Amino acid sequence: MDVFGVDIGGSGIKGAPVDLARGELSEERFKVLTPKPSTPDAVADCVRQVVRHFGLPVGPVGVTFPGVVAGGTTRTAANVDKSWIGQDAAGLLGERVGAPVTVLNDADAAGLAEMAHGAGRGRTGTVIVLTFGTGIGSAVFTGGSLVPNTELGHLELHGHDAETRASTRVKEEEDLSWGRWAKRVSRYLAHVEMLFSPELFVIGGGVSRKAEKFLPLLEGVSAEVVPAQLQNNAGIVGAAMAAAAAGVVPAAAA
């Protein structure tokens, strides 16, 4: 029985079964567009579609969410429909897919995967994983332990919510060159560095596939800055890891 990871994003919902020992997808991921409006019922149907794409039986499922998640309940909804706020996401999704579901913040999931299998592996100081996409997600680790739901993409930067100035979506919407976008990202990273003094930034999200386009252009940051090794699959892997950590994974699968 496979352990699944599903990554809910502002533009797409993707998932796959995961090899937990290797930290890799065991099959090619399947993706559908995030519905508009992205209500709980509509998104739950898409999550079910992604999971059922791989056939039956369905094993335990870890699901990421773009917002604060506490005890399986979604507390914020920056880039999906506001009706998610206060939703028992774990209950809704578990009922819809017919399997045990663990829900966690999307950037936290990506961070867990990068710390276990990627760019943060073996690092024990303060590490900050930042996922650039529709918004900016964050996962903060110290001593290898996660500080959940940090939401550093919503820090105020020059009078603006940081992700409204430096996300990948903003780069695309404003048709920013890599150089202009890198200047915005540099200012953002410098601000986060001033507050947290990390030894390492890991840059994730889809843009990590093009790290050579912008990482050499970053300025004013003392910490080491590297691309995510698992790239845009980190959320899926981390979601499956969370399902395993929740104790819902049979020993043979884990």
Side-chain angles (χ1 to χ4, degrees):
M1 184 179 292
D2 287 314
V3 184
F4 283 83
V6 179
D7 192 5
I8 298 174
S11 59
I13 299 171
K14 55 188 180 292
V18 174
D19 181 333
L20 293 174
R22 296 169 60 88
E24 298 175 355
L25 308 189
S26 56
E27 296 188 42
E28 185 176 350
R29 71 187 188 188
F30 178 69
K31 180 178 180 178
V32 298
L33 295 178
T34 302
K36 297 184 183 301
S38 49
T39 61
D41 275 337
V43 169
D45 283 342
C46 290
V47 171
R48 181 181 186 277
Q49 180 184 355
V50 169
V51 173
R52 293 299 177 90
H53 169 80
F54 296 94
L56 297 173
V58 177
V61 181
V63 179
T64 78
F65 182 80
V68 172
V69 182
T73 297
T74 45
R75 301 296 186 189
T76 66
N79 294 303
V80 290
D81 195 84
K82 300 303 181 186
S83 58
W84 275 101
I85 297 174
Q87 174 72 49
D88 175 13
L92 171 66
L93 295 171
E95 179 182 353
R96 200 63 55 90
V97 303
V101 169
T102 301
V103 184
L104 72 162
N105 173 267
D106 55 353
D108 286 350
L112 289 172
E114 286 295 327
M115 292 298 289
H117 300 286
R121 187 172 185 176
R123 305 295 283 261
T124 58
T126 299
V127 177
I128 298 181
V129 180
L130 297 169
T131 57
F132 288 79
T134 305
I136 300 175
S138 62
V140 178
F141 294 84
T142 183
S145 297
L146 172 68
V147 180
N149 294 312
T150 48
E151 294 291 290
L152 300 184
H154 299 298
L155 287 173
E156 182 178 319
L157 185 64
H158 302 304
H160 299 276
D161 203 41
E163 69 176 24
T164 67
R165 300 287 295 165
S167 69
T168 305
R169 178 172 67 177
V170 171
K171 179 188 183 304
E172 294 169 353
E173 289 179 347
E174 298 186 17
D175 195 25
L176 298 175
S177 67
W178 286 109
R180 290 183 62 195
W181 185 67
K183 287 183 179 180
R184 295 190 183 189
V185 174
S186 294
R187 289 193 289 267
Y188 171 63
L189 293 180
H191 186 56
V192 175
E193 184 174 53
M194 181 268 293
L195 294 171
F196 292 92
S197 301
E199 69 174 50
L200 175 68
F201 284 112
V202 179
I203 305 300
V207 74
S208 61
R209 295 191 300 267
K210 301 177 181 179
E212 75 283 354
K213 300 283 190 180
F214 67 93
L215 283 189
L217 304 178
L218 298 178
E219 299 177 338
V221 181
S222 299
E224 184 181 0
V225 185
V226 301
Q229 291 182 10
L230 279 70
Q231 298 183 347
N232 217 19
N233 289 335
I236 297 173
V237 174
M241 290 174 58
V248 297
V249 179

